[in-house]
Amino acid sequence: HSHAPGQPGHTHGPPQGQGMQQQQMVMRAPDPVMQAIIEESYVPVDIALGPPDNVTALCGPHQLEKCAECDLDFVNLNRLSRLLHLNPNLRCPPPPTVVSKNLSLAIANTKEEGNAFYKRNQHEKAIERYNLAINIAAQRPQWEAAQVMREELSTVLSNRAAAFLEAGDYIGSLVDAEAVIQLKRGWSKGHFRKARALVKMERFHEAKEAIELGLSFEPGS
């Protein structure tokens, strides 16, 4: 545009110094040592893109998410990819301190429904609700702290072990008790659940050992 007589002239280019800043933002050349390591370890993989909307990876020859013949497993990668696809505003996974409150609420509510059935001696229905709570807990995103899932699963599995015991499925109760111990070894309740199942199976010596181990972690329980 023109300037009236007497007005100082000025330029319309970028502010002074901005051009230099843009030059400084030029991407640096890759470190040759690191580049050599990457190229040496690079192994090309024949992949195909799958649903939804080509956001999942499949083995090229067999179109499988997990393929033993190709020795490929994209299950965890695809789980993260689907989560990001369903949340387009999420540019990257949040920090592990962020926990899905909706999942936590769904797990807690489903577990309490199971507890209510258990108290009414409706053990099969209680087991069904505990099964659902476990399935929901297993859907936690990979970027959330693993401790959250361990706490939820150990509690629900402990409750299901009790329901299995009351339903007469002593093996199922023992398996769940062992799972609780694997998830939370220092929690005496898992050892107690294991001991009760072993008593029902008349494996009294093993039951005594389970109780003793549990008490060694929590003597006052």
Side-chain angles (χ1 to χ4, degrees):
H1 59 271
S2 60
H3 298 275
Q7 283 187 326
H10 61 270
T11 61
H12 297 278
Q16 188 174 3
Q18 184 173 336
M20 295 180 63
Q21 289 179 357
Q22 289 177 345
Q23 290 178 357
Q24 292 174 355
M25 292 174 63
V26 174
M27 186 177 295
R28 296 179 182 177
D31 177 55
V33 176
M34 184 61 67
Q35 188 70 25
I37 294 173
I38 293 172
E39 291 178 356
E40 183 180 355
S41 61
Y42 173 73
V43 178
V45 176
D46 183 9
I47 67 169
L49 299 179
D53 299 332
N54 291 333
V55 300
T56 53
L58 310 171
C59 77
H62 310 101
Q63 304 287 298
L64 295 175
E65 189 174 46
K66 184 175 182 179
C67 181
E69 186 173 341
C70 296
D71 192 25
L72 294 174
D73 185 351
F74 297 118
V75 172
N76 290 329
L77 174 66
N78 287 343
R79 183 181 174 201
L80 177 60
S81 180
R82 290 188 189 98
L83 285 167
L84 293 173
H85 177 66
L86 292 172
N87 297 273
N89 294 326
L90 191 64
R91 297 301 180 188
C92 64
T97 52
V98 177
V99 176
S100 172
K101 294 181 179 179
N102 290 337
L103 271 178
S104 298
L105 185 61
I107 294 163
N109 289 343
T110 308
K111 182 188 70 175
E112 288 305 317
E113 289 172 3
N115 293 347
F117 282 124
Y118 180 86
K119 291 174 182 177
R120 294 198 294 267
N121 294 321
Q122 295 177 283
H123 302 119
E124 295 297 337
K125 289 186 177 181
I127 290 168
E128 290 177 1
R129 303 312 292 171
Y130 294 142
N131 289 344
L132 181 57
I134 289 168
N135 289 336
I136 297 172
Q139 297 305 310
R140 281 205 174 277
Q142 291 177 316
W143 57 72
E144 292 187 0
Q147 181 64 23
V148 176
M149 184 186 295
R150 282 199 296 269
E151 289 288 338
E152 292 170 340
L153 285 176
S154 59
T155 302
V156 181
L157 283 167
S158 175
N159 291 5
R160 192 174 70 173
F164 274 138
L165 190 80
E166 296 299 329
D169 184 354
Y170 306 139
I171 294 177
S173 180
L174 178 61
V175 169
D176 274 0
E178 292 281 15
V180 173
I181 294 169
Q182 290 294 319
L183 289 166
K184 203 173 178 182
R185 184 171 175 78
W187 190 33
S188 62
K189 185 166 285 188
H191 302 277
F192 173 70
R193 298 288 190 216
K194 178 180 178 178
R196 289 198 65 192
L198 290 168
V199 167
K200 290 292 186 180
M201 300 167 71
E202 299 184 356
R203 294 161 58 179
F204 302 114
H205 180 70
E206 294 174 74
K208 179 175 177 291
E209 290 180 341
I211 287 291
E212 291 174 346
L213 183 56
L215 289 174
S216 72
F217 290 113
E218 294 180 329
S221 60

